[in-house]
Amino acid sequence: MPIIYEHPLSPYAQKVKISLREKGVDFEARLPSGIGTGDTPDDFMKGNPRGEVPFLRDGDTTIFDSTIILEYIEDRWPSPAMLPGPPAERARVRLIEDVMDCHYEPINWGLGEINHFKRATGDLKVQIEKRAGEQIAGLHRWLERELGERDWFNGEAFGWGDLSVIPYVNGSLGFGFAPEEGSALAAWHSRAMARESVSKTAQESIDSVKGMQDVSGAVEAGLFKREYRDHRLEWMIKSGGLDVVLKGLEKDNIRFTPDFS
């Protein structure tokens, strides 16, 4: 049985779990002990030099990076296919995934920094949240155009394009930024959430949020080290959060991934 090291709030991990569930593949999900502290066990770090989730261990095979994991899953368990057939369509849904991972993810991550970890308060919080809302609305308009007249981003059936979008739309929905009521994106969201693979994965994320209530206290106590991927750092600075970054450099011992030392 493959093992997925994950955190339920990670949209990257959610993509992988949805794909496995769509294919009917049983897996064990593990939350690495010490995640967020910079002190994680060897079984998680071995073969995973970036120390990130999701991380797949399938027998002797170890893979990090959610996109590469999805590609492995598609090769390892090809039915039902998550990628469409025509090359142009396969490229289209991969581009959707790239936009979600590189442009949508840092917005939701920044909102989590502010609301769960209390990295910014007062006027700065309002400013960053306003910018986040504007960008999410723009991404939703872009997604509407990509969806077009289709029922699914993948085309006729749920697949790679859809499982790449749903974790991010759900993430911003949790912060009060929902698809416009009555829109094609809102209708797509309802269809996606009706799928067991999606609803189960989303519920795991919702349950995890309940455990985030006291996380800001753990931050103040120095129990968490924040990690910046390059697109997160860029978004926070461009959205007015330079002071958030500088404060973290002084106080939180920020870790910049990857670390191959």
Side-chain angles (χ1 to χ4, degrees):
M1 181 183 295
I3 300 169
I4 296 292
Y5 294 85
E6 58 117 16
H7 191 289
L9 286 178
S10 166
Y12 302 108
Q14 290 174 41
K15 289 190 301 179
V16 170
K17 292 193 294 183
I18 292 171
S19 181
L20 288 169
R21 284 168 172 157
E22 284 288 325
K23 291 174 179 290
V25 178
D26 291 332
F27 63 92
E28 177 186 349
R30 291 185 186 176
L31 179 67
S33 61
I35 191 169
T37 66
D39 184 18
T40 46
D42 289 342
D43 66 331
F44 173 64
M45 296 301 295
K46 186 177 181 180
N48 186 18
R50 294 205 305 221
E52 66 181 20
V53 295
F55 173 54
L56 172 69
R57 189 180 297 280
D58 183 25
D60 293 331
T61 301
T62 58
I63 307 172
F64 61 92
D65 187 274
S66 62
T67 300
I68 299 174
I69 294 173
L70 286 178
E71 291 170 347
Y72 175 81
I73 291 170
E74 197 71 0
D75 291 337
R76 177 84 161 81
W77 298 282
S79 182
M82 292 292 101
L83 281 169
E89 288 299 290
R90 294 163 80 94
R92 182 180 61 81
V93 299
R94 282 176 165 136
L95 288 171
I96 291 173
E97 181 194 20
D98 188 71
V99 171
M100 297 296 97
D101 288 354
C102 297
H103 296 279
Y104 206 142
E105 192 275 345
I107 303 172
N108 285 344
W109 175 83
L111 289 169
E113 284 276 277
I114 293 167
N115 289 282
H116 296 316
F117 292 91
K118 312 298 183 186
R119 304 291 193 186
T121 57
D123 290 343
L124 180 57
K125 178 178 185 292
V126 171
Q127 174 189 336
I128 295 175
E129 286 187 319
K130 180 176 183 295
R131 182 62 179 137
E134 293 168 349
Q135 291 180 336
I136 290 168
L139 280 162
H140 285 181
R141 290 191 293 270
W142 180 81
L143 286 169
E144 287 261 352
R145 295 193 295 271
E146 288 297 317
L147 186 61
E149 299 298 320
R150 304 177 183 89
D151 283 340
W152 302 106
F153 284 100
N154 234 53
E156 295 182 356
F158 180 94
W160 193 296
D162 305 282
L163 64 85
S164 297
V165 173
I166 192 66
Y168 298 104
V169 173
N170 279 341
S172 55
L173 178 63
F175 293 111
F177 298 101
E180 184 178 350
E181 188 175 350
S183 67
L185 186 62
W188 165 86
H189 180 261
S190 295
R191 287 193 295 274
M193 289 301 294
R195 302 184 73 84
E196 183 179 2
S197 65
V198 175
S199 61
K200 183 173 183 178
T201 303
Q203 188 60 53
E204 290 166 352
S205 177
I206 292 169
D207 292 343
S208 181
V209 169
K210 297 173 184 176
M212 297 289 286
Q213 303 304 314
D214 298 323
V215 73
S216 61
V219 170
E220 287 299 315
L223 300 179
F224 279 89
K225 298 178 186 293
R226 81 178 81 182
E227 291 194 19
Y228 276 118
R229 292 169 179 248
D230 52 359
H231 60 288
R232 292 173 176 172
L233 178 63
E234 179 183 12
W235 183 86
M236 185 61 79
I237 292 174
K238 284 185 174 180
S239 300
L242 178 59
D243 287 346
V244 174
V245 176
L246 294 177
K247 180 182 177 181
L249 283 170
E250 295 173 358
K251 181 178 183 297
D252 295 339
N253 189 18
I254 288 177
R255 299 171 63 212
F256 293 89
T257 55
D259 180 5
F260 291 93
S261 59

